Amino acid sequence: MVKVIIGCQWGDEGKGKVVDLMSQDADVVVRVQGGANAGHTIVAGDQKFVLHLIPSGILNPKTVCVIGNGVVIDPDALSEELELLKKLGVDVTGRLLISNRAHIVTVEHKQQDQKNEQSASRKIGTTGRGIGPAYRDKVSRVGVRVVDFMKKDHRFDAFIADTGAYLNQAIRDKKKIIMEGAQGALLDVDHGTYPYVTSSNTTAGGASTGSGIGPTKIDHVIGIAKAYTTRVGEGPLPTELPEAEGNALREKGHEFGATTGRPRRCGWFDAVVVRYACDINGIDELVITKLDVLDYLPVIKICVGYKDQKYFPADIDMLAAAEPVYEDLPGWQTSTTSVRRFEDLPAAAQAYIQRMETLIGVPVKLISVGAERNQTIEKN
Ligand code: IMP
């Protein structure tokens, strides 16, 4: 069984918690694209982890974690992460496999990324982790792959493998595999809000090319969306809240970047964005995260369309000018953090989720109401 987990907004949807939860019974968890630009925060008991490269499934002692060929690897960031896991008492021996076909992020890539950001007339607001320059070199056919890197640097020899071959054997052995997308669909280099995107395919198609698992072997694609919208870096965010309201939501939701610490821009839930994301990924079911963050609001807006626009616009200027059409839904103004069954949610919270399902046309199967694993509601 192969499942793909994809962010349906601009990243930071809370994929880390969902992957952690789903990897409880998974044999293998795979990262397929991106690099140390990602930051997955996981809370387990009183310990807080931020993982950038190593899949969050590493916390489960029975899970094998794979860094697939589609990932770009910063060797220093990887070393630091291995060190951190060691300090936290997480044993990765025999449980971490790194693709020999993945590409390396060099010191020069990082310097160039940071320099580009300072001098560009149109700033992207990158994480400065060298992602764009590393992928540029990869497609220009001048990149350095792990298989070349290991001829000179032996730090990771014990982990390097032909991960495509490993994964295809795991499929033949009927293992449970979870492929973990980094960033979100709207940051996809093809389908996202170009040029304000990252440099990889963050959508479900990238899971195939980034792992060596063919599309016919993927059984299920799960989309993660936050109960509202956030974005880090530059680029249009049609439902962005005015400063005071945005600040309040940011504080409630602790919306600060896991990698850069930057404050995330906050907005209302945008059903146009999530519907588009569900289409381009072939999402089978949705997980809605951080519903509890909205507990304080008397009225909750949901964007049901953009005025005079039929499709999610490709033209970035049209998206920047998009006028969201909102519906006002009543808030519930009571804590949902200890609710564990959908029927026990306040009626207004149930109605909010049901409205999302109708607008998007995809069922919601899981709702998260807090950072802890057990703060999760299954919905039929
Ligand atoms: P890059 O991936 O560092 O090149 O950054 C390109 C854009 O993607 C910027 O707007 C970043 O803020 C955004 N981005 C990259 N990684 C993440 C992530 O993990 N979460 C949210 N935004 C991200």
Side-chain angles (χ1 to χ4, degrees), residues 10-12 37-39 113 124-129 131-132 183 187 196-199 231-234 262:
W10 279 274
D12 309 318
N37 50 350
D113 190 10
I124 305 297
T126 72
T127 59
R129 297 296 192 270
I131 305 300
Q183 291 86 44
L187 289 171
Y196 301 102
V197 292
T198 190
S199 299
R231 172 164 206 174
V232 221
E234 304 301 319
R262 289 181 291 177

Side-chain angles (χ1 to χ4, degrees), residues 303-349:
C303 169
V304 299
Y306 301 151
K307 207 173 158 208
D308 303 327
Q309 294 189 26
K310 202 169 165 202
Y311 300 106
F312 187 77
D315 181 337
I316 201 70
D317 298 324
M318 270 176 79
L319 185 66
E323 275 184 56
V325 178
Y326 288 113
E327 267 177 26
D328 284 4
L329 275 78
W332 42 93
Q333 295 192 286
T334 175
S335 174
T336 55
T337 53
S338 50
V339 177
R340 299 291 175 267
R341 295 187 326 159
F342 187 73
E343 311 82 78
D344 296 336
L345 277 173

Side-chain angles (χ1 to χ4, degrees), residues 3-8 10-19 29-35 37-40 51-56 66 71 178-185 187-188 198 200-208 210-211 221-224 281 283:
K3 287 184 185 176
V4 180
I5 295 181
I6 295 287
C8 287
W10 279 274
D12 309 318
E13 297 91 352
K15 295 181 293 293
K17 171 179 163 173
V18 180
V19 173
V29 178
V30 194
R31 249 309 279 281
V32 294
Q33 43 69 228
N37 50 350
H40 287 175
L51 296 175
H52 299 284
L53 278 164
I54 299 177
S56 4
V66 172
V71 177
I178 288 182
M179 300 211 264
E180 171 185 356
Q183 291 86 44
L187 289 171
D188 184 279
T198 190
S200 62
N201 282 116
T202 58
T203 41
S208 245
S211 66
V221 184
I222 299 165
I224 318 291
N281 287 289
I283 300 291

Side-chain angles (χ1 to χ4, degrees), residues 15-146:
K15 295 181 293 293
K17 171 179 163 173
V18 180
V19 173
D20 179 46
L21 210 63
M22 295 194 174
S23 68
Q24 300 303 299
D25 69 341
D27 300 300
V28 187
V29 178
V30 194
R31 249 309 279 281
V32 294
Q33 43 69 228
N37 50 350
H40 287 175
T41 309
I42 293 148
V43 182
D46 56 358
Q47 290 189 311
K48 200 170 176 180
F49 302 76
V50 181
L51 296 175
H52 299 284
L53 278 164
I54 299 177
S56 4
I58 202 75
L59 300 191
N60 181 349
K62 290 196 201 106
T63 307
V64 173
C65 287
V66 172
I67 298 182
N69 57 277
V71 177
V72 287
I73 299 172
D74 172 353
D76 298 329
L78 182 62
S79 281
E80 272 174 37
E81 222 158 292
L82 287 168
E83 207 47 50
L84 172 83
L85 287 170
K86 201 168 155 188
K87 271 199 210 129
L88 291 168
V90 180
D91 185 8
V92 300
T93 319
R95 298 202 299 118
L96 177 66
L97 299 179
I98 299 172
S99 169
N100 51 6
R101 290 183 171 87
H103 276 247
I104 296 288
V105 177
T106 64
V107 173
E108 290 73 28
H109 289 148
K110 286 185 274 186
Q111 286 168 347
Q112 226 162 60
D113 190 10
Q114 288 155 18
K115 208 169 115 206
N116 289 350
E117 277 294 295
Q118 282 157 13
S119 59
S121 53
R122 179 134 83 167
K123 291 194 194 325
I124 305 297
T126 72
T127 59
R129 297 296 192 270
I131 305 300
Y135 279 113
R136 179 206 57 203
D137 281 357
K138 173 178 171 174
V139 292
S140 302
R141 296 160 294 187
V142 294
V144 178
R145 294 190 300 164
V146 167

